[in-house]
């Protein structure tokens, strides 16, 4: 019975394992999934988590709960030696060990791509993980708490100035949700006014959201401007040292919350493998998702998702490859499961082909943008389409029900505005007031040192 090792439990890895479980009989293959996290993060919901419209736990999907037959290992794959068909697993606690396999599926995903801009590594926060979305949300609300106690001035202005770098879908969506959250919070802070808050998005190109038409992108810009959110086009971030934002236009201001969404790159782990990678660091695969090198197909090696350079047979992809998004990763995972099943049963795999029906973005409650070919829909109808699509796209009915119910409650009760930033230091309160053993008395050693030396007397000698 062949052992299938799936490296990464994100969209592509989760769907590959999920569909393999359904397609293969119990005695046809052993499935092992390795991921450093025990859950899949549904990244399209991260902006809504920031805005407080989706509960953070509902934007992730438990791997162990829904992958019934697969063996789950919570660890990092730090090295792959495909020549020997072994992979090195490194857990959070304990020593690394090697695992053998017969078939490997590399779906390790991507990480935030940054540039060596001074201050970014120290001050900015990404938007790839649920923990990052929670931190952004909590910091926004905590900053409002702090600013409400301060008089007008530079310190309060810094706390209420928020910056997003990157004008793609993720950047625009989180920027709009942040502005929406900031506006909603003002009614609870009578000390603050709308003009006290500042929201800036920095985009190096001359437009935003390249997936939609210029007309639709202009509507988004106008909508954001009407809501008090400023977009800086044709502008580069020069420095963020100490939270001081310096732009290529010469503008400068301070911010306490800087969100980086300017691109992704394949996980660097691929450098520690003997599998072929291309110039951008992605796994080389052909259209049927089999890994391919200079000498042809690499036997028993497959790849999909953001970590792989998957040819886009529709011709719509940038540079001829599928763009790194959830829509492709999910569908590639499904095709990958079918192709692996086919090869195990002696059948031929099929090429991955998917022509997107369009792109949809949520811009905060009541606002959205949809583009399909020349058709562009904006405003409330597009927002409904965004929620409808992603409410059904998140894996498993258990999660769909939780998310949709969360939206229903939000419609009647409003968004939750509780900040729990203290979760980052959960032991602080306990540590502060915990009783500790009293230190040994300082006088005890001194007393011992000053103890008088006993005198020894002897009787005088008799004459």
């Amino acid at each position: 019975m062949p052992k299938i090792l799936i490296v990464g439990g994100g969209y592509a890895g989760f769907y590959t394992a999920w569909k393999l479980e359904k397609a293969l009989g119990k005695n046809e293959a052993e499935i092992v999934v390795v991921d450093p996290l025990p859950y899949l993060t549904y990244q399209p919901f991260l902006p809504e988590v920031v805005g407080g419209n989706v509960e953070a736990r509902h934007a992730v999907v438990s791997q162990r709960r829904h992958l019934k037959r697969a063996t789950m290992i919570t660890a990092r794959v730090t090295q792959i030696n495909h020549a020997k068909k072994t992979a090195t697993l490194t857990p959070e606690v304990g020593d690394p060990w090697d695992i053998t396999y017969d078939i490997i599926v590399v779906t390790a995903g991507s990480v935030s791509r940054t540039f060596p801009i001074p201050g970014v590594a120290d001050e900015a926060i990404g938007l790839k993980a649920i923990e990052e979305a929670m931190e952004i949300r909590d910091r926004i609300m905590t900053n409002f708490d702090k600013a409400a106690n301060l008089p007008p001035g530079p310190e309060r202005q810094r706390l209420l100035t928020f910056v997003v770098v990157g004008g793609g879908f993720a950047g625009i969506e989180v920027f709009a949700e942040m502005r929406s959250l900031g506006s909603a919070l003002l009614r609870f802070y009578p000390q603050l006014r709308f003009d006290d808050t500042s929201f800036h998005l920095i985009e190096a190109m001359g437009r935003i959201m390249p997936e939609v038409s210029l007309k639709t992108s202009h509507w988004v810009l106008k909508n954001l401007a009407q809501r008090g959110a400023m977009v800086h086009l044709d502008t580069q971030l020069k420095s963020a040292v100490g939270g001081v934002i310096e732009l290529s236009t010469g503008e400068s201001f301070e911010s306490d919350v800087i969100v980086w969404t300017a691109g992704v790159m394949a996980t660097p782990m691929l450098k520690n493998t003997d599998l072929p990678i291309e110039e951008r660091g992605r796994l080389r695969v052909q259209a049927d998702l089999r890994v391919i090198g200079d000498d042809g197909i690499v036997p028993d090696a497959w790849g999909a998702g953001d970590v792989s350079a998957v040819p886009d047979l529709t011709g719509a992809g940038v540079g001829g490859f599928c763009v790194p998004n959830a829509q492709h990763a999910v569908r590639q995972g499904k095709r990958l499961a079918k192709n692996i099943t086919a090869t195990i049963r002696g059948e031929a795999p099929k090429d991955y082909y998917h022509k997107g029906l369009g792109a949809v973005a949520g811009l905060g409650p009541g606002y959205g943008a949809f583009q399909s070919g020349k058709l562009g829909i904006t405003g409330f109808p597009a927002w409904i389409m965004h929620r409808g699509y992603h409410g059904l796209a998140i894996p498993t009915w258990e999660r769909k029900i939780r998310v949709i119910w969360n939206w229903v409650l939000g419609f009647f009760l409003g968004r939750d505005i509780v900040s729990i930033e203290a979760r980052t230091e959960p032991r602080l309160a306990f540590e502060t007031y915990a009783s500790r053993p009293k230190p040994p008395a300082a006088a005890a050693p001194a007393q011992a040192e000053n103890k008088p030396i006993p005198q020894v007397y002897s009787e005088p000698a008799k004459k």
Side-chain angles (χ1 to χ4, degrees):
M1 187 167 65
K3 178 189 287 187
I4 303 172
L5 176 63
I6 300 176
V7 181
Y11 299 119
F14 180 88
Y15 271 93
T16 300
W18 205 22
K19 297 303 180 181
L20 280 174
E21 286 186 341
K22 296 176 181 179
L24 294 173
K26 291 183 179 180
N27 297 322
E28 282 191 276
E30 177 187 355
I31 304 168
V32 179
V33 180
V34 182
D35 194 283
L37 298 172
Y39 50 79
L40 171 156
T41 301
Y42 191 72
Q43 292 177 358
F45 277 155
L46 295 184
E48 291 215 48
V49 171
V50 172
N53 299 308
V54 170
E55 165 61 36
R57 289 176 302 166
H58 299 166
V60 296
V61 180
S62 170
Q63 296 162 350
R64 295 180 185 275
R65 177 170 182 171
H66 297 287
L67 298 179
K68 308 292 186 181
R69 286 174 44 205
T71 299
M72 304 302 308
I73 301 177
T74 304
R76 294 183 181 277
V77 175
T78 50
Q79 191 170 3
I80 297 172
N81 187 334
H82 190 62
K84 296 182 178 179
K85 290 193 174 181
T86 63
T88 301
L89 311 188
T90 304
E92 189 71 24
V93 178
D95 298 325
W97 77 92
D98 289 342
I99 185 173
T100 59
Y101 61 81
D102 299 293
I103 299 170
I104 192 164
V105 178
V106 182
T107 53
S110 59
V111 298
S112 294
R113 181 191 63 182
T114 58
F115 307 105
I117 300 172
V120 166
D122 300 317
E123 303 291 339
I125 183 170
L127 191 69
K128 287 285 293 175
I130 191 67
E131 296 83 2
E132 292 173 321
M134 294 169 66
E135 176 67 11
I136 295 167
R137 179 190 174 205
D138 285 343
R139 283 175 63 179
I140 291 172
M141 292 188 287
T142 300
N143 279 14
F144 270 74
D145 290 334
K146 294 175 181 177
N149 296 326
L150 296 173
E155 190 173 358
R156 188 167 86 170
Q157 187 176 1
R158 176 190 172 102
L159 289 170
L160 297 178
T161 298
F162 307 96
V163 175
V164 174
V165 183
F169 255 66
I172 291 295
E173 286 189 301
V174 74
F175 184 57
E177 287 285 358
M178 289 166 65
R179 173 69 271 186
S180 178
L181 175 61
S183 299
L185 288 174
L186 287 170
R187 62 182 286 235
F188 301 101
Y189 296 89
Q191 309 94 322
L192 304 176
R193 299 177 304 162
F194 184 86
D195 291 341
D196 293 328
T197 62
S198 297
F199 289 80
H200 299 266
L201 183 136
I202 303 164
E203 170 54 47
M205 295 176 62
R207 62 163 298 179
I208 59 169
M209 303 170 71
E211 298 89 345
V212 305
S213 67
L214 272 175
K215 181 180 178 181
T216 302
S217 71
H218 288 163
W219 180 91
V220 174
L221 289 172
K222 182 179 178 181
N223 176 265
L224 290 171
Q226 290 172 342
R227 293 158 62 185
M230 182 179 296
V231 178
H232 304 260
L233 296 177
D234 291 314
T235 305
Q236 296 179 356
L237 177 65
K238 290 295 185 182
S239 176
V241 175
V244 179
I245 303 297
E246 295 181 10
L247 305 181
S248 58
T249 58
E251 296 174 80
S252 180
F253 48 86
E254 294 190 35
S255 174
D256 196 52
V257 178
I258 305 166
V259 182
W260 182 273
T261 65
V264 298
M265 65 179 185
T267 179
M269 181 276 296
L270 280 182
K271 297 175 183 177
N272 299 327
T273 76
D274 57 356
L275 296 172
I277 58 177
E278 42 95 84
E279 60 274 8
R280 293 185 60 185
R282 296 175 298 182
L283 187 66
R284 290 175 59 188
V285 300
Q286 59 184 26
D288 62 6
L289 305 178
R290 287 185 288 186
V291 176
I292 185 168
D294 294 335
D295 299 325
I297 294 172
V298 178
D300 302 320
W302 304 77
D306 293 1
V307 77
S308 300
V310 180
D312 189 341
L313 300 183
T314 68
V318 179
F321 298 102
C322 295
V323 296
N325 62 22
Q327 189 176 152
H328 279 301
V330 168
R331 287 168 174 79
Q332 287 168 15
K334 294 177 180 179
R335 169 46 55 195
L336 191 50
K338 292 179 181 178
N339 283 353
I340 292 173
T341 301
T343 55
I344 288 176
R345 294 174 179 173
E347 301 168 6
K350 295 181 179 180
D351 289 345
Y352 170 75
Y353 181 94
H354 172 69
K355 188 173 183 179
L357 297 177
V360 63
L363 306 172
Y367 303 101
F370 169 80
Q371 189 74 45
S372 179
K374 295 182 179 180
L375 174 64
I377 301 174
T378 55
F380 186 77
W383 177 68
I384 293 295
M385 295 169 71
H386 172 266
R387 286 209 158 176
Y389 173 77
H390 286 297
L392 294 175
I394 188 171
T396 80
W397 278 104
E398 174 252 341
R399 273 306 185 253
K400 298 182 202 295
I401 292 169
R402 290 183 189 273
V403 168
I404 294 171
W405 181 240
N406 200 176
W407 284 336
V408 172
L409 292 178
F411 179 79
F412 291 103
L413 303 178
R415 76 178 83 209
D416 194 333
I417 64 164
V418 174
S419 168
I420 49 174
E421 193 179 28
R423 65 181 166 74
T424 58
E425 295 182 279
R427 293 191 65 252
L428 182 60
F430 180 82
E431 259 188 299
T432 302
Y433 301 106
S435 297
R436 291 175 168 81
K438 292 182 178 180
Q447 269 186 342
E449 289 174 11
N450 298 330
K451 200 170 183 180
I453 299 174
Q455 298 293 326
V456 180
Y457 293 95
S458 60
E459 291 184 8
K462 290 183 181 180
K463 292 182 180 179

